[in-house]
């Protein structure tokens, strides 16, 4: 990870209400990823730096993990993590994970489909724009949980 990206991630963790207090809880997170994927490794490192106890597991069958968790095919990302009762699909930003665990909405998980350039683990792009989707428990369509938009200044 580039030093600037790491510093920005660490500062953002402290800038959000409850972020520093949450980091101290050391919630356990299991990350299922391909052994050769560098961005998955960087995302996992960022979560660990934010205070999560990360267990990164290399697998040759990510499709089975996604199927077991019932991740919608159109919302799949390059790795899948599980924290408490939720899954995190793809490059979900730290701020969304912290909000999820603080608010505890009735969802199965969060997803960032694909691999948006500039998302956590994918470099530092101040012009990045993408949506974080929430997948409801039970019935209902996925909805936008958080919008990530270009930074100002």
């Amino acid at each position: 990870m580039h030093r600037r990206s790491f510093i920005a991630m660490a500062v953002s963790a402290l800038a959000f209400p409850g972020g520093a207090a949450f980091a101290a809880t050391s919630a356990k997170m299991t990350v299922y990823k391909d052994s050769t994927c560098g961005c998955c490794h960087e995302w996992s490192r960022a979560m660990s730096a934010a205070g999560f106890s990360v267990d990164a597991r290399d697998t040759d069958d990510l499709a089975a993990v996604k199927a077991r968790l019932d991740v919608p095919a159109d919302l799949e990302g390059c790795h899948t993590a599980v924290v408490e009762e939720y899954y995190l699909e793809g490059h979900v930003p730290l701020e969304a994970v912290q909000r999820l665990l603080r608010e505890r909405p009735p969802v199965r998980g969060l997803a960032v489909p694909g691999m948006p350039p500039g998302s956590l683990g994918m470099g530092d792009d101040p012009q990045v724009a993408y949506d974080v989707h929430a997948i409801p428990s039970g019935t209902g369509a996925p909805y936008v949980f958080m919008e990530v938009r270009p930074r100002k200044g």
Side-chain angles (χ1 to χ4, degrees):
M1 178 183 288
H2 294 84
R3 185 180 319 169
R4 193 171 61 213
S5 297
F6 178 78
I7 292 169
M9 186 273 311
V11 169
S12 69
L14 297 175
F16 286 86
F22 174 78
T25 65
S26 295
K28 293 181 181 179
M29 179 184 291
T30 303
V31 181
Y32 300 93
K33 64 182 193 61
D34 184 282
S35 63
T36 62
C37 186
C39 65
C40 297
H41 176 73
E42 293 302 323
W43 187 88
S44 298
R45 280 181 31 152
M47 290 296 147
S48 182
F52 289 93
S53 175
V54 175
D55 176 14
R57 297 184 185 182
D58 295 336
T59 179
D60 293 330
D61 195 2
L62 278 170
V65 172
K66 295 171 192 303
R68 178 175 51 85
L69 295 170
D70 201 21
V71 176
D74 60 332
L75 295 179
E76 288 183 2
C78 71
H79 59 268
T80 305
V82 176
V83 60
E84 298 185 12
E85 68 269 21
Y86 302 107
Y87 67 75
L88 307 170
E89 182 65 18
H91 292 270
V92 176
L94 175 61
E95 297 84 4
V97 177
Q98 291 173 328
R99 179 178 157 201
L100 174 74
L101 296 176
R102 185 175 58 247
E103 295 177 6
R104 299 200 178 274
V107 299
R108 292 193 320 253
L110 301 179
V112 173
M115 298 169 67
S119 60
L120 184 61
M122 293 290 293
D124 184 24
D125 179 357
Q127 297 305 308
V128 67
Y130 61 92
D131 293 331
V132 178
H133 301 272
I135 298 82
S137 298
T139 61
Y143 60 91
V144 175
F145 180 77
M146 176 181 281
E147 295 178 340
V148 176
R149 296 299 177 252
R151 295 189 298 258
K152 294 181 173 134

